[in-house]
Amino acid sequence: MTMALDAVRNAPPAKAENKAESKAVAKPEVHALDLLVPGMTCAGCMRKVESRLEALDGVQSARVNLSAHRVAVGFDPAITNADALVGELALAGYDARPFDPTIHGAARADATGRDLLLRLGVAGFAAMNVMLLSVSVWSGADAAVRDLMHWISALIALPAMAYAGVPFFRSALGALAGRRLNMDVPISLAIVLAGVSSVIETTRSGEHAYFDAGVMLIFFLLIGRYLDHRTRASARSAAAELAAMTGRTALRVLPNGKRVLCPVEKLTAGMRIAIAPGERVPADGLIVEGRTDIDRSLVTGESRAEPAAPGMRIHAGMLNLTGPVELQIEATGDGTLLAEIARLVDAAERGRGRYDKLADQAARVYAPGVHALAALAFIGWYWASGEVLVALAIATALLIITCPCALGLAIPTVHTVASGRLFRAGIFLKDGAELERLAQVDLVAFDKTGTLTDGRPHLVDQPDPDGVHARIAASLAQHSRHPASASIAAALDHSSTAPVTDIREVPGCGVEGRIGRAVVRLGRPAWVGADNHHDVAVSAPDGSTAGFRFSENLRPDAADTVAKLRDMGCEIAILSGDGAEAVDRVADALAVQIRHDQLLPGEKLALLQDWAAQGRRVLMVGDGLNDGPALAAAHASISPADAADVSKTAAGLVFAGESLAPVHKAMVVARDARRRALESFGIAAVYNACAIPLALAGLVTPLIAALAMSGSSVLVVLNALRLRKS
């Protein structure tokens, strides 16, 4: 079980929340295409791109990953094609092209960061010099000296504003070309107005010019944008960095025993490779020769090394510590666990929850609202003062100070930092909305076997290994992934089997098949037709039964995790399909009062629905085939990485390793993320509540507006970064 992480790759993002995703699920034959759209900069861009693509005939889904500037499109190739998708985005004002990870991956992200940093440096240099020149003006310089300082400021500021403001101008022009508004339109308008009004004031030998405000505005905006870029990139690149650590070549072992170097991209399933001490594992597979210690912390989040021997499954990215081993490859490239982790991280970034939707709605009404307010301010002040430049300065200050960058950065930054923190702890989030649901949980319901326990039941009583019941059990147990079946199969490995046919697993009950026309079963005693004296029973064609009894060990940190969840204010429940005696042993050991035994999948689901009707927010933690419906129906859900595929598919989060601590860790991160998101909303709300009246009253200059707006954006980003250490 320890290394059974490979099944994570079968777990797609859970709980699709929009119509487009539902259509994609309904038509699995649709083609998938990732488009790179560099011009997307805000929530408004995200909404526009998704709505334009989803309106096209043949498009089943469109989900934007804003931090990666990518959109994943599912479409019917018989109706539309990639050229049509790119053309539709071009009409909306966005340059788009198919995403190629070998071209547009980390190198592109680095190029974007370098470009922002260069423009930030230019703006900062210009801002410092213009501010020094402004000191002379503020100190009471006379007309001639003041005019000279203004003209020198213009020579420095205008070229710097033209160069450093390109990211905002480009985005604004793209939006206007597509007949829409985004946050960069009023920002660009404010920059242009600050420059134009300053030039006019300088040519008239006026006392006030706002070159310092223009460059300071761009400088602080670029600080916020660069911090956002770095925050997103650090969380987004974690899986990519792991993949890069696997190396570029591997030592292939040929059938004749000869060893040759082979590029990693040419490795295929079935090949045999040698891994020396100190090397990273380049592919997923089984150890077939040698013993060593494996450091799996980069994949699972667990720091301790683990002994590895033949028959043990290891994964790409893990580090071989002590001895040489040979590996039989099972998966390479996109089929490895590392590649699936990267896809889970990407899916989490695409997911959007309630807070994101609130930010979307606020951003949607912002641009037209602030333009109207600025126009009214200009008209009102021009009517009151009769001075065009006074009215223009106040309108410019209003446009600057009401920039919604803080609101636009708040939620994406919090979610990105939170998903990165979870990833480093070995917890893989499939949907950003799951994080918000997890923060609301007040009751945690655990499955027992394989979740609270170590999943390795130890046989303490069994039928005669040479008898008919043991032979039937050996045949049936091989066809079930239930831990009890695995234990039975291992114990009866040397027994002869019975000629059982038509074998199938019945969720929540066990395994059944036929010997001739008679039905034989292995599973819950009540289902098999036996009494509850045993944990698992098996029936023979003549109707006789025999039983198996097991002892189970709790996961090492189960008691500590349950105690910590109680300290967070959560009630604990155990929902199990096992017998009352086995459930009571575990519940008593953990002091859990809410316990339910011998539950079928439908009964677990009914319990969760009853709790939901009572207003309870339930986190379901399970790993078995019978937990799938409950995991899907729960308010939030989490499953171990070695769980059944159905469970991982239904769960919103998947955690790696044998420890149960990630359940508590996920709850802590979710609540911290909610707290930071609400704090960021509060910062934006308080800021605007104070800033708008001051700007309308003419008490804020464009320079002060630039400092205030940029300060709020930086404050929101720094507040989100607190998640890394909280």
Side-chain angles (χ1 to χ4, degrees):
M1 187 189 82
T2 302
M3 300 304 297
L5 304 177
D6 56 315
V8 179
R9 63 176 63 97
N10 296 319
K15 299 182 181 176
E17 291 192 347
N18 60 42
K19 181 168 60 180
E21 283 184 327
S22 298
K23 290 191 292 184
V25 172
K27 296 186 177 182
E29 73 280 5
V30 298
H31 286 199
L33 175 67
D34 265 13
L35 294 175
L36 183 68
V37 189
M40 295 187 297
T41 59
C42 64
C45 298
M46 181 187 301
R47 179 178 56 85
K48 186 71 174 179
V49 167
E50 289 182 346
S51 61
R52 289 293 292 257
L53 289 175
E54 288 176 348
L56 280 178
D57 289 340
V59 174
Q60 304 296 324
S61 64
R63 294 302 302 273
V64 166
N65 183 336
L66 188 59
S67 62
H69 297 284
R70 285 162 53 191
V71 54
V73 187
F75 66 97
D76 185 347
I79 300 176
T80 189
N81 54 39
D83 290 339
L85 302 177
V86 171
E88 182 65 20
L89 291 181
L91 293 176
Y94 294 100
D95 177 35
R97 52 192 177 275
F99 175 78
D100 184 346
T102 63
I103 300 174
H104 304 126
R108 179 192 165 274
D110 291 341
T112 300
R114 287 194 299 270
D115 181 70
L116 285 173
L117 196 58
L118 181 59
R119 297 183 192 278
L120 175 62
V122 170
F125 177 80
M128 288 187 294
N129 285 277
V130 172
M131 289 297 290
L132 287 173
L133 294 169
S134 298
V135 171
S136 300
V137 178
W138 299 339
S139 300
D142 59 23
V145 174
R146 184 183 64 232
D147 289 348
L148 177 62
M149 295 299 103
H150 282 170
W151 281 115
I152 296 175
S153 296
L155 291 175
I156 297 173
L158 292 176
M161 291 164 65
Y163 173 76
V166 164
F168 311 105
F169 300 147
R170 184 187 295 130
S171 173
L173 290 173
L176 294 174
R179 298 180 180 180
R180 59 186 176 85
L181 296 174
N182 66 4
M183 291 189 294
D184 288 330
V185 173
I187 290 173
S188 300
L189 182 58
I191 295 170
V192 171
L193 288 178
V196 170
S197 62
S198 298
V199 170
I200 294 174
E201 186 75 1
T202 300
T203 58
R204 295 176 55 189
S205 297
E207 295 184 9
H208 303 290
Y210 303 110
F211 297 114
D212 46 9
V215 291
M216 289 293 286
L217 170 64
I218 296 176
F219 177 63
F220 282 103
L221 280 171
L222 286 172
I223 287 177
R225 191 154 291 189
Y226 181 73
L227 284 175
D228 176 54
H229 170 80
R230 292 305 307 162
T231 301
R232 293 171 180 272
S234 63
R236 185 176 64 245
S237 63
E241 290 172 0
L242 285 179
M245 290 181 180
T246 59
R248 304 307 308 157
T249 60
L251 194 61
R252 182 184 175 190
V253 180
L254 299 178
N256 60 7
K258 185 178 179 181
R259 301 185 176 193
V260 296
L261 281 177
C262 178
V264 168
E265 56 269 18
K266 292 188 178 181
L267 295 177
T268 60
M271 287 184 178
R272 190 163 171 168
I273 57 174
I275 306 170
E279 287 186 349
R280 293 276 176 193
V281 179
D284 292 359
L286 287 173
I287 295 177
V288 293
E289 186 175 320
R291 293 178 180 272
T292 186
D293 291 309
I294 293 290
D295 178 358
R296 55 182 188 151
S297 59
L298 290 176
V299 176
T300 68
E302 295 187 7
S303 58
R304 63 183 176 86
E306 180 173 314
M312 183 176 183
R313 180 172 286 104
I314 58 177
H315 299 271
M318 294 180 177
L319 179 64
N320 181 20
L321 293 175
T322 56
V325 295
E326 292 188 8
L327 186 75
Q328 188 81 22
I329 295 176
E330 294 181 331
T332 62
D334 288 341
T336 63
L337 174 66
L338 274 180
E340 178 57 28
I341 289 173
R343 287 191 286 270
L344 288 175
V345 172
D346 185 63
E349 288 189 340
R350 290 176 184 169
R352 295 194 302 280
R354 181 169 58 92
Y355 298 137
D356 292 287
K357 293 170 185 175
L358 289 175
D360 282 354
Q361 292 169 2
R364 191 179 309 168
V365 300
Y366 161 75
V370 76
H371 287 145
L373 192 61
L376 290 174
F378 176 83
I379 294 171
W381 276 95
Y382 179 68
W383 176 80
S385 66
E387 292 287 338
V388 173
L389 289 178
V390 171
L392 189 61
I394 291 173
T396 301
L398 185 63
L399 283 172
I400 293 172
I401 208 166
T402 55
C403 171
C405 289
L407 185 63
L409 291 174
I411 307 309
T413 307
V414 165
H415 275 181
T416 301
V417 176
S419 63
R421 184 177 166 192
L422 290 172
F423 174 80
R424 289 188 293 273
I427 306 166
F428 313 122
L429 177 69
K430 298 190 200 172
D431 186 354
E434 188 76 11
L435 200 62
E436 294 169 18
R437 291 191 290 267
L438 189 60
Q440 300 166 348
V441 164
D442 57 16
L443 190 155
V444 182
F446 287 94
D447 174 50
K448 181 181 70 67
T449 305
T451 304
L452 286 172
T453 64
D454 60 9
R456 292 189 290 268
H458 306 285
L459 268 174
V460 295
D461 185 23
Q462 68 182 62
D464 178 7
D466 297 322
V468 63
H469 293 100
R471 295 171 55 204
I472 294 172
S475 299
L476 293 173
Q478 297 173 5
H479 296 270
S480 172
R481 291 192 56 180
H482 192 281
S485 295
S487 182
I488 292 171
L492 301 177
D493 184 47
H494 300 293
S495 300
S496 58
T497 58
V500 184
T501 60
D502 298 333
I503 299 174
R504 69 184 186 95
E505 188 163 12
V506 181
C509 296
V511 190
E512 71 176 11
R514 291 181 178 275
I515 297 180
R517 294 185 177 182
V519 175
V520 291
R521 289 176 171 174
L522 172 70
R524 295 175 55 190
W527 180 65
V528 171
D531 57 40
N532 288 325
H533 178 65
H534 295 286
D535 296 319
V536 174
V538 60
S539 65
D542 61 3
S544 62
T545 62
F548 299 83
R549 286 178 58 84
F550 300 91
S551 65
E552 289 184 279
N553 297 324
L554 289 173
R555 287 188 185 240
D557 60 349
D560 183 56
T561 299
V562 167
K564 288 179 177 178
L565 290 172
R566 281 201 189 96
D567 290 342
M568 296 180 73
C570 296
E571 286 193 82
I572 310 298
I574 296 179
L575 311 183
S576 177
D578 292 344
E581 184 179 347
V583 173
D584 287 342
R585 283 197 302 267
V586 172
D588 291 341
L590 299 175
V592 176
Q593 302 303 317
I594 305 175
R595 56 187 77 174
H596 298 272
D597 54 75
Q598 301 186 65
L599 293 177
L600 294 172
E603 293 171 333
K604 286 188 179 183
L605 179 61
L607 264 176
L608 290 175
Q609 291 172 339
D610 288 343
W611 281 329
Q614 298 168 20
R616 306 302 300 270
R617 306 294 178 87
V618 183
L619 167 65
M620 181 67 198
V621 188
D623 73 323
L625 186 65
N626 61 330
D627 295 320
L631 289 165
H635 189 68
S637 53
I638 185 168
S639 180
D642 54 3
D645 293 344
V646 170
S647 295
K648 293 194 300 296
T649 299
L653 299 98
V654 174
F655 67 90
E658 293 186 343
S659 172
L660 203 59
V663 176
H664 172 255
K665 181 73 171 181
M667 288 278 290
V668 170
V669 173
R671 292 192 178 185
D672 284 349
R674 178 179 62 178
R675 191 178 304 114
R676 299 292 171 258
L678 293 176
E679 288 171 355
S680 296
F681 273 127
I683 290 170
V686 171
Y687 164 77
N688 282 287
C690 298
I692 292 175
L694 293 173
L696 286 172
L699 301 176
V700 178
T701 66
L703 175 60
I704 295 175
L707 293 171
M709 181 280 304
S710 301
S712 68
S713 298
V714 172
L715 187 60
V716 162
V717 172
L718 293 177
N719 184 56
L721 289 174
R722 291 169 60 201
L723 267 172
R724 286 183 169 182
K725 298 181 179 180
S726 59

